Amino acid sequence: MKCVNLLYLPRCTLFSIAFISLGYVMPSLAGGVALSATRIIYPEVEKQVSINVTNYDDKESFLVQSWVVDKLGVKSTSFIVSPLLFVLKPGKMNMLRIMYNGPALPEGKESIFYLNNKAIPSVEKKSQAGNTLQIASQSVIKLFVRPKHLSVNPSEAPAMLRCQLHEGGLIISNTSPYFVTLVNFNVDGKKQPNTMVPPLSSETVRPSGATKGAVTYQTLNDYGAITPALACKA
């Protein structure tokens, strides 16, 4: 997960930029505000899931706004996030509750959405008249909706990837029902960009600096921790 800085100037428009990345384990931080996890697993059987939002700044209050978008970045009306908008005082924590009330999702594999969390610092009245620059920050983390009774355990998913080098491209097939995010991803010993492979699908990447050789990788588990290294089988 990475955060995005949004420049906010008095009497000007706030330009929103959404940036989604394949992050490592660290607090999901937006300004002085942090989410308690880098990803959310939403079991289909649960009515709701929750995540904590903490203000680590000891002086500044933040206006916090949260919402969910789909994989195309379109705001989803299938999720209710509560509270939708609130003020988070210095050193305080609040809990976000996320509820899915949309149509049925695919039963045999995970579905992915993204939780957006924007933190806008408060402005004192005496500074509003001046040329004050505010920084509003936005963090984005993955939200996986997981059906019940999937065919395999999530810990088995990393070993279920299959790789095939073909005409300068690497086809990574995911035979598991889970999204698998590759980190420390190497082809012939040369590091490649982090890559997420959808469940029961494939992803084609163009290896940088390598066209053949062994494919090795690690993945991120449900808690955002890095799993042991594996060699991708053909």
Side-chain angles (χ1 to χ4, degrees):
M1 193 291 310
K2 288 187 179 179
C3 300
V4 179
N5 286 335
L6 308 176
L7 295 182
Y8 178 81
L9 297 172
R11 304 182 182 89
C12 291
T13 303
L14 176 65
F15 293 92
S16 297
I17 305 173
F19 181 84
I20 301 170
S21 71
L22 307 173
Y24 291 92
V25 185
M26 62 180 293
S28 180
L29 184 67
V33 174
L35 296 171
S36 59
T38 60
R39 59 194 50 226
I40 300 172
I41 307 298
Y42 193 141
E44 186 185 45
V45 295
E46 301 294 335
K47 293 183 178 178
Q48 66 178 32
V49 292
S50 60
I51 186 170
N52 292 330
V53 187
T54 303
N55 182 1
Y56 287 98
D57 196 299
D58 58 359
K59 297 179 180 179
E60 193 85 66
S61 293
F62 289 84
L63 180 65
V64 179
Q65 182 180 16
S66 303
W67 67 96
V68 174
V69 300
D70 63 19
K71 62 184 179 180
L72 299 176
V74 178
K75 188 172 182 180
S76 175
T77 57
S78 297
F79 286 89
I80 298 173
V81 181
S82 178
L84 192 62
L85 187 68
F86 61 94
V87 174
L88 195 57
K89 298 292 185 180
K92 298 299 182 180
M93 181 183 71
N94 201 357
M95 179 184 291
L96 286 180
R97 291 179 173 83
I98 305 166
M99 294 155 278
Y100 182 75
N101 66 343
L105 294 169
E107 295 183 359
K109 62 180 181 179
E110 285 185 327
S111 298
I112 189 170
F113 298 86
Y114 295 89
L115 174 67
N116 290 252
N117 188 68
K118 183 189 293 183
I120 304 172
S122 61
V123 182
E124 296 182 7
K125 290 183 178 179
K126 62 181 180 181
S127 66
Q128 289 180 352
N131 295 322
T132 302
L133 174 66
Q134 284 185 282
I135 302 296
S137 299
Q138 182 174 320
S139 59
V140 185
I141 64 173
K142 298 183 184 75
L143 169 59
F144 300 102
V145 179
R146 181 171 295 173
K148 57 183 178 180
H149 307 313
L150 290 180
S151 56
V152 297
N153 189 287
S155 63
E156 300 175 59
M160 295 178 69
L161 297 183
R162 296 293 180 265
C163 297
Q164 181 181 8
L165 285 163
H166 180 67
E167 296 181 352
L170 175 65
I171 303 172
I172 308 172
S173 299
N174 181 5
T175 61
S176 82
Y178 304 94
F179 283 88
V180 179
T181 298
L182 279 65
V183 298
N184 297 325
F185 171 30
N186 294 276
V187 178
D188 194 24
K190 297 178 177 64
K191 190 172 178 61
Q192 309 299 320
N194 295 347
T195 302
M196 184 171 69
V197 188
L200 305 178
S201 185
S202 63
E203 191 77 16
T204 300
V205 299
R206 298 288 173 180
S208 56
T211 57
K212 60 182 180 179
V215 178
T216 60
Y217 61 91
Q218 293 176 279
T219 69
L220 300 178
N221 66 16
D222 285 355
Y223 307 98
I226 298 177
T227 63
L230 292 170
C232 197
K233 300 177 182 179

